């Protein structure tokens, strides 16, 4: 069993695959998006500031996100799935250092590859399907475009970063949820 990063554009299925792994393999999912939404829902001033950033589709400052991650790493005993983190090189460097201090490391980075056109279709569908009560604030098309831009500019370089460390695996995210999940299981059992 391994500490795992799921990497890929917004809407590629990282969250869905993380939840399957939590159920079937007893991982601890760390989703920075979920942690940030919790902070927004707390109604604090920081939460309000985070809400505005998320609504624009920008990245929340590294310092804030890393603090949240450190809190969880500190307490967690199971193997981790990092879902939506790291999102840039600085976050990746900091994650590596923080894990090393605890004599831990990342074992696999799995890139869920989805074409950006298809991704846009998926997200539009998700917006249509979600009712008003559980609709995420950042689920609108303008935000999506911004998030995809940010992904291309800041997150995409992580593929080379992890390739150089021999940690990168790629799964075709255009397959069914079950097939993606089977491929991920095979990779992490290596
Ligand atoms: P997600 O749920 O992972 O799609 O993230 C939703 C939003 O939360 C993103 O568009 C960012 O505004 C923010 N966010 C999530 N994870 C991070 C991160 N690692 N660094 C900075 N901002 C993040």
């Amino acid at each position: 069993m391994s500490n795992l990063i799921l990497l890929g554009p917004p809407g590629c299925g990282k969250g869905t695959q993380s939840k399957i792994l939590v159920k079937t393999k007893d991982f601890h999912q760390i989703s920075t998006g979920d942690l940030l939404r919790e902070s927004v829902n707390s109604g604090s001033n920081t939460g309000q500031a985070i809400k505005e950033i998320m609504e624009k589709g920008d990245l929340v400052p590294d310092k804030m996100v890393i603090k949240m991650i450190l809190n969880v790493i500190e307490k967690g005993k199971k193997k981790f799935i990092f879902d939506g983190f790291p999102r840039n090189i600085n976050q990746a460097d900091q994650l590596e250092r923080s894990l090393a201090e605890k004599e831990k490391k990342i074992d696999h980075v799995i890139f869920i590859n989805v074409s950006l056109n298809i991704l846009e279709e998926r997200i539009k569908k998700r917006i249509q399907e979600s009712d008003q009560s559980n609709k995420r604030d950042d689920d609108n098309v303008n935000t999506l475009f911004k998030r995809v831009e940010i992904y291309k500019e800041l997150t995409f370089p992580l593929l080379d970063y992890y390739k150089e460390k021999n940690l990168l695996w790629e799964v075709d995210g255009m397959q069914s949820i079950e097939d993606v999940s089977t491929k991920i299981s095979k990779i992490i059992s290596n």
Side-chain angles (χ1 to χ4, degrees):
M1 274 272 267
S2 60
N3 288 317
L4 192 65
I5 293 175
L6 293 185
L7 205 62
C12 72
K14 297 187 291 286
T16 305
Q17 294 300 331
S18 299
K19 294 210 162 53
I20 294 175
L21 287 165
V22 167
K23 256 199 204 145
T24 58
K25 304 206 188 288
D26 203 30
F27 273 97
H28 182 150
Q29 177 191 11
I30 306 181
S31 156
T32 40
D34 285 350
L35 292 171
L36 290 165
R37 279 183 285 278
E38 269 171 33
S39 173
V40 168
N41 291 336
S42 75
S44 66
N45 286 344
T46 313
Q48 183 55 34
I50 291 174
K51 182 170 188 265
E52 284 166 23
I53 298 170
M54 289 174 79
E55 279 174 354
K56 278 196 247 155
D58 281 326
L59 291 190
V60 172
D62 289 353
K63 230 175 137 185
M64 264 182 199
V65 178
I66 287 159
K67 200 169 151 202
M68 289 177 160
I69 288 281
L70 291 184
N71 260 333
V72 187
I73 294 178
E74 200 66 52
K75 291 179 210 144
K77 294 207 166 53
K78 297 179 186 174
K79 289 289 183 177
F80 299 117
I81 309 172
F82 295 96
D83 159 17
F85 180 92
R87 261 189 161 83
N88 60 29
I89 304 274
N90 181 42
Q91 291 183 6
D93 281 339
Q94 299 235 27
L95 176 64
E96 189 175 87
R97 275 200 297 274
S98 309
L99 288 174
E101 278 168 20
K102 311 222 160 342
E103 291 174 1
K104 293 180 183 179
K105 63 180 175 59
I106 295 295
D107 302 286
H108 295 97
V109 178
I110 301 180
F111 170 45
I112 305 180
N113 194 358
V114 170
S115 109
L116 294 182
N117 287 339
I118 301 285
L119 159 79
E120 201 185 325
E121 288 308 312
R122 280 190 185 176
I123 299 205
K124 280 184 188 157
K125 202 165 147 225
R126 195 169 79 188
I127 296 167
Q128 281 159 5
E129 281 170 359
S130 62
D131 65 29
Q132 216 47 38
S133 59
N134 66 18
K135 186 175 173 298
R136 281 169 40 173
D137 288 336
D138 58 341
D139 277 349
N140 66 59
V141 175
N142 284 340
T143 305
L144 164 67
F145 282 128
K146 184 65 191 281
R147 291 175 67 194
V148 171
E149 283 311 306
I150 298 267
Y151 168 77
K152 287 196 272 194
E153 185 190 339
L154 299 174
T155 311
F156 197 73
L158 288 176
L159 297 182
D160 274 344
Y161 175 95
Y162 285 120
K163 203 185 270 175
E164 277 167 23
K165 292 178 187 286
N166 278 327
L167 291 176
L168 190 71
W169 298 76
E170 180 172 335
V171 169
D172 177 3
M174 311 297 283
Q175 307 168 96
S176 67
I177 292 174
E178 292 73 23
D179 285 349
V180 173
S181 162
T182 305
K183 297 268 163 58
I184 293 178
S185 292
K186 274 195 191 137
I187 292 169
I188 60 180
S189 63
N190 267 329

